[in-house]
């Protein structure tokens, strides 16, 4: 039985494995997924997790629960020697070991791409993983708690109540809008804090935001954010964030305790430790049928790639530089196409090219606020937000997870979002340790 090794169980990897489970005949192949996280993360829900509108666990799909015929290994693939068909797997505890495979599927996704700006590596946080979203939510709540006990005008109070997002792409605009909405809700619960005291800044180097929507829709969003007390600094660069002291290219300076970096992604750096071919941006080179190809355009046998980690040609003509943009719309569909193509080659049939025309864009910009774009039709407001929730509620994989997310929204509709900070989980033994009896020192 051929052994298929899937590196990464996110969007593309999860869908590949899920569909393989359904489509492979008995005894046709053995599938293993290796991922350091035991779950697939529904990343479009991270902004709503950060704003307390979705329970963090509900936006995760546990691999062992939903991939019942696949072997799951919770560890990272740290090396691939495709010539020898061996991958090195490194667990959190214990020694690394080698797995041999017949076919490899690389779906290791992307990581936040940063620039060497002072302070960013030490002070900022990304918005790619669930723990980052949880941290942002808890920090915002804790900052409100702490600021409320300080006198007005205290510089620390101002710093605690200043929130910065860097990057005006989809992820940045969504997290910014959700946090603004969250902060407005919190102001109504904290009698000690006024709306005007809570400061928001989004920093974007380009002259516009959200390239996925039309310029008109993007400009509308900028104007609406300004009205909501969430200015967007266009054509502005972050010069320094050292010690939380923000310096902008416009000369403006202020301090912030929460800096969220969303200015781009890059293919998983794990690829650097493989003999698989990559292009100048570090992505795996694949052809339109998702088989890996080398620099001469020849197929690399038994190697496949999909999702953010791969440079997949966009045959619809909508791609940037001719390649699919890194988004879930593509990753899901590529995962599905990859599983079909892989099975076709196992059965001696021809794989088909991946083709997907962008289905439009929906963004959540805070509770009851959204943006929608499909072709020339673009609008913002309540119905766009409804489209966002409707689309993502249904796109969440598995009925079990959809039910958890949607019932959470219904509960929130009646009782509001949960505003309890769980930051204390970072020091879970503190209380126990404080009162624990210790042996008396020997006389
Ligand atoms: C805040 C936010 C909002 C977004 N909103 C949207 C949206 O509204 N619409 C949309 O279409 N897209 C959206 N996206 C983009 C979308 O989520 C990504 O494009 C998509 O997740 C890419 O899928 P993937 O399978 O390539 O990577 P991922 O889903 O990131 O999965 C990669 C997996 O590989 C694993 N991995 C990494 N390294 C290794 C290794 N060495 N060994 C083994 N496993 C490894 C990771 O743990 C992860 O589970 C959003 C992204 C973010 C961050």
């Amino acid at each position: 039985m051929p052994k298929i090794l899937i590196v990464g169980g996110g969007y593309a990897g999860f869908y590949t494995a899920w569909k393989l489970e359904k489509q492979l005949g008995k005894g046709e192949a053995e599938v293993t997924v290796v991922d350091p996280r035991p779950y697939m993360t529904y990343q479009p829900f991270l902004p709503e997790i950060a704003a307390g509108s979705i329970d963090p666990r509900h936006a995760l799909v546990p691999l062992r629960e939903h991939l019942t015929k696949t072997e799951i290994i919770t560890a990272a693939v740290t090396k691939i020697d495709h010539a020898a068909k061996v991958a090195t797997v490194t667990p959190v505890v214990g020694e690394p070991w080698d797995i041999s495979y017949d076919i490899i599927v690389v779906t290791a996704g992307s990581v936040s791409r940063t620039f060497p700006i002072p302070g960013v590596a030490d002070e900022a946080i990304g918005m790619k993983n669930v723990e980052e979203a949880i941290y942002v939510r808890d920090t915002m709540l804790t900052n409100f708690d702490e600021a409320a006990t300080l006198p007005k005008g205290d510089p620390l109070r101002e710093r605690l109540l200043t929130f910065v997002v860097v990057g005006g792409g989809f992820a940045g605009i969504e997290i910014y809008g959700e946090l603004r909405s969250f902060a407005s809700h919190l102001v109504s619960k904290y009698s000690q804090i006024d709306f005007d005291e809570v400061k928001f800044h989004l920093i974007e180097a380009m002259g516009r935001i959200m390239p996925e929507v039309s310029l008109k829709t993007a400009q509308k969003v900028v104007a609406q954010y300004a009205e909501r007390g969430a200015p967007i600094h266009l054509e502005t660069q972050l010069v320094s964030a050292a010690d939380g002291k923000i310096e902008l290219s416009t000369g403006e300076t202020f301090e912030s305790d929460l800096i969220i970096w969303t200015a781009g992604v890059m293919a998983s750096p794990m690829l650097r430790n493989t003999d698989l071919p990559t292009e100048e941006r570090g992505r795996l080179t694949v052809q339109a049928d998702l088989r890996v190809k080398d620099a001469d355009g020849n197929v690399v046998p038994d190697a496949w790639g999909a999702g953010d980690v791969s440079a997949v040609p966009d045959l619809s003509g909508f791609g940037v530089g001719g390649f699919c943009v890194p988004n879930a719309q593509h990753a899901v569909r590529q995962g599905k196409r990859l599983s079909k193509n892989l099975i076709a080659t196992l059965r001696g049939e021809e794989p088909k090219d991946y083709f997907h025309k962008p289905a439009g864009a929906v963004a959540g910009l805070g509770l009851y606020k959204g943006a929608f774009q499909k072709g020339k039709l673009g609008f913002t407001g309540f119905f766009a937000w409804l489209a966002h929730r409707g689309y993502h509620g249904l796109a969440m994989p598995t009925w079990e997870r959809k039910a958890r997310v949607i019932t959470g929204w219904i509960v929130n509709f009646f009782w509001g979002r949960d505003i309890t900070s769980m930051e204390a989980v970072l020091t879970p033994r503190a209380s126990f340790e404080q009162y624990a009896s210790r042996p008396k020192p020997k006389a």
Side-chain angles (χ1 to χ4, degrees), residues 7-13 34-37 39 41 43-44 46-47 75-78 107-110 127-128 170-171 174 268 270 306-309 326-329 331 362 392:
V7 182
Y11 266 96
V34 183
D35 195 310
R37 296 166 200 277
Y39 47 77
T41 307
Q43 291 174 20
L46 295 178
V77 168
T78 45
T107 47
S110 55
M127 190 45 60
K128 286 281 293 164
F170 233 70
E174 286 197 309
S268 168
M270 180 275 298
D308 288 6
V309 79
N327 69 23
Q329 248 185 67
V362 279
H392 286 294

Side-chain angles (χ1 to χ4, degrees), residues 53 87 138 253 277 286 288 306 373 402:
S53 291
D138 287 345
T253 58
V286 300
Q373 187 78 46
K402 284 190 215 319

Side-chain angles (χ1 to χ4, degrees), residues 6-15 33-48 63 73 75-79 88 90 106-112 126-129 132 170-172 174-175 212 262 265 268-271 306-310 325-334 360-364 388 391-392:
I6 303 178
V7 182
Y11 266 96
F14 175 79
Y15 272 90
V33 171
V34 183
D35 195 310
R37 296 166 200 277
Y39 47 77
M40 172 252 186
T41 307
Y42 195 90
Q43 291 174 20
F45 281 152
L46 295 178
E48 284 196 61
L63 300 179
I73 299 176
V77 168
T78 45
K79 190 175 172 207
T88 306
T90 304
V106 183
T107 47
S110 55
V111 297
S112 298
M127 190 45 60
K128 286 281 293 164
N129 303 311
E132 292 169 333
F170 233 70
E174 286 197 309
I175 183 74
E212 299 85 349
T262 65
V265 295
S268 168
M270 180 275 298
L271 275 183
D308 288 6
V309 79
S310 302
V325 293
N327 69 23
Q329 248 185 67
H330 282 303
V332 168
R333 288 169 178 84
Q334 287 167 5
V362 279
H388 157 80
Y391 173 82
H392 286 294

Side-chain angles (χ1 to χ4, degrees), residues 4-8 11-21 23-24 31 103-108 284 286-292 302-310 312 330-346 350-355:
I4 302 172
L5 177 65
I6 303 178
V7 182
Y11 266 96
F14 175 79
Y15 272 90
T16 303
W18 207 25
K19 297 296 163 187
L20 283 175
E21 282 197 354
Q23 294 156 2
L24 277 171
V31 185
I103 300 167
I104 195 153
V105 176
V106 183
T107 47
L284 186 65
V286 300
Q287 51 186 39
D289 62 13
L290 306 171
R291 284 186 290 182
V292 175
D302 303 322
W304 300 77
D308 288 6
V309 79
S310 302
V312 179
H330 282 303
V332 168
R333 288 169 178 84
Q334 287 167 5
K336 291 180 184 172
R337 170 51 44 211
L338 200 161
S339 66
K340 284 189 188 144
N341 281 356
L342 202 160
I343 292 175
T345 54
L346 285 179
E350 277 305 302
K352 288 189 183 146
D353 284 349
Y354 169 74
F355 180 90

